[in-house]
Amino acid sequence: MTPAKTAAKKTARAEAASGGTAAGRTGKDAGKTAAKKAVGKSVAKKATSGEAASKKAASGEAASRKAAPARNESHTALVRRARRINRELAEVYPYAHPELDFENPFQLVVATVLSAQTTDLRVNQTTPALFARYPTPEDLAEANPEHVEEILRPTGFFRAKTKSVIGLSKALRDDFGGEVPGRLEDLVKLPGVGRKTAFVVLGNAFGRPGITVDTHFQRLVRRWQWTAETDPDKIERAVGGLFPKTEWTMLSHHVIFHGRRICHARKPACGACPIAPLCPAYGEGETDPEKAKKLLKYEKGGFPGQRLNPPQAYLDAGGRPAPPLGAG
């Protein structure tokens, strides 16, 4: 072999060796790069997962701060929480009042009987015509049922309600000298008058403490876990035991006001609720503050209230009277 050929072979071998080494290094480098990418993706995934978990934990922590735990709550703790809720509501609704228009005990007992299965607003729009024509129990006791039915038609169940208000008017005339009695045991003897109606009359016409367990009251006290009872009489006893008797009437107004304005049956405005930190049911409704504001009713949402002639304190707080029947 000539020296030239020998030199050429050595050069070829060197180039081959060099090329193989380069290829090997390239393969190794590619593998390392892929591995690094895989590790990077894994780390990124874990980091993202960790962030999500942190956010979830933070969200849960926020929710736990909003929703007061009520499980295994002692009776003493329950009493404290219930009374604090009432104090908070008293600050939000210092003007809370019965939302039926009345000028005397007779008008109140009739209006309360008529409020069954309808709104106070509808009753307030209807009773002016009724009391203008039949201002006393004696007048209503002698009324033609068909005429009364026609007046009461907008309240629904007008035949049964006509029978009740004429019947209770006759009882007032015949048994109580035309005066509404101021005792529970006498009131519940009147046609159409149960304990709820009796306590409305006692508390607001006679200043005698009573708890009004209407549908709003029942819903809220169960949401707040003040009681698990469903029977109105049992609810009345259970909740009454959490508060001094002197607070019962205003407690009823506070709870009912809140149920009508914020803590609605179908979609409570949780995000606009002033007692959210004390409520075990926080989150059942809309929690976004801006969306929750749109759910507010009556003066909280800028709408007219239930009464045609509300107390001055209500008007001073920004409330608006309801429109008369047929308006708007």
Side-chain angles (χ1 to χ4, degrees):
M1 185 177 293
T2 63
K5 288 184 179 180
T6 301
K9 281 187 178 183
K10 286 182 179 181
T11 301
R13 286 175 186 167
E15 287 177 354
S18 175
T21 302
R25 286 176 180 166
T26 301
K28 288 179 181 178
D29 289 345
K32 286 180 180 179
T33 302
K36 284 181 181 179
K37 285 184 179 178
V39 171
K41 286 182 181 177
S42 176
V43 171
K45 188 175 181 180
K46 286 181 180 178
T48 303
S49 176
E51 287 174 8
S54 298
K55 286 180 181 178
K56 189 175 181 180
S59 175
E61 190 177 334
S64 67
R65 285 199 300 270
K66 286 281 189 180
R71 291 183 179 179
N72 302 319
E73 186 176 41
S74 69
H75 182 72
T76 300
L78 171 59
V79 169
R80 287 174 179 169
R81 182 169 62 86
R83 293 185 181 184
R84 185 178 171 191
I85 286 176
N86 189 38
R87 289 195 300 272
E88 296 281 346
L89 294 180
E91 291 184 8
V92 177
Y93 310 109
Y95 46 82
H97 58 271
E99 295 194 89
L100 288 168
D101 282 324
F102 69 98
E103 295 177 356
N104 53 57
F106 171 62
Q107 289 187 1
L108 180 58
V109 70
V110 170
T112 307
V113 169
L114 296 179
S115 69
Q117 304 299 318
T118 191
T119 64
D120 287 355
L121 169 59
R122 179 58 67 186
V123 174
N124 292 337
Q125 292 173 326
T126 304
T127 51
L130 179 71
F131 296 137
R133 187 163 183 174
Y134 311 106
T136 69
E138 291 82 1
D139 294 323
L140 192 52
E142 297 296 328
N144 182 326
E146 292 183 0
H147 295 165
V148 177
E149 286 179 2
E150 194 58 34
I151 295 174
L152 301 185
R153 186 180 295 272
T155 68
F157 302 96
F158 58 91
R159 291 190 179 87
K161 290 179 180 180
T162 294
K163 185 176 180 180
S164 291
V165 297
I166 290 179
L168 73 84
S169 296
K170 289 179 178 179
L172 291 176
R173 179 195 62 188
D174 298 341
D175 302 332
F176 299 100
E179 299 291 332
V180 176
R183 300 194 312 164
L184 175 66
E185 52 268 36
D186 292 330
L187 283 168
V188 295
K189 293 177 183 177
L190 300 174
V193 177
R195 288 179 69 88
K196 183 194 88 169
T197 298
F199 281 129
V200 170
V201 175
L202 289 173
N204 298 288
F206 294 99
R208 296 176 184 172
I211 293 178
T212 304
V213 185
D214 72 349
T215 55
H216 300 287
F217 194 94
Q218 292 182 49
R219 179 177 73 254
L220 268 62
V221 299
R222 286 199 293 270
R223 276 181 177 167
W224 295 336
Q225 296 184 14
W226 288 2
T227 180
E229 299 290 353
T230 56
D231 178 76
D233 291 349
K234 292 181 179 179
I235 290 174
E236 176 197 321
R237 287 193 292 272
V239 175
L242 303 176
F243 296 89
K245 195 171 183 179
T246 54
E247 295 183 12
W248 286 358
T249 299
M250 286 309 299
L251 168 69
S252 300
H253 291 325
H254 296 153
V255 175
I256 293 169
F257 253 58
H258 191 63
R260 285 175 169 170
R261 286 154 177 78
I262 295 179
C263 196
H264 311 137
R266 293 185 180 178
K267 198 170 184 181
C270 294
C273 180
I275 59 165
L278 300 170
C279 181
Y282 174 82
E284 284 188 11
E286 180 57 65
T287 58
D288 180 85
E290 292 304 316
K291 292 180 180 178
K293 284 181 183 178
K294 296 178 181 179
L295 300 174
L296 301 180
K297 294 183 179 178
Y298 308 145
E299 73 280 359
K300 297 297 177 183
F303 304 113
Q306 300 280 284
R307 292 185 69 161
L308 294 172
N309 300 298
Q312 187 60 44
Y314 177 77
L315 297 175
D316 292 341
R320 291 195 284 148
L325 185 64

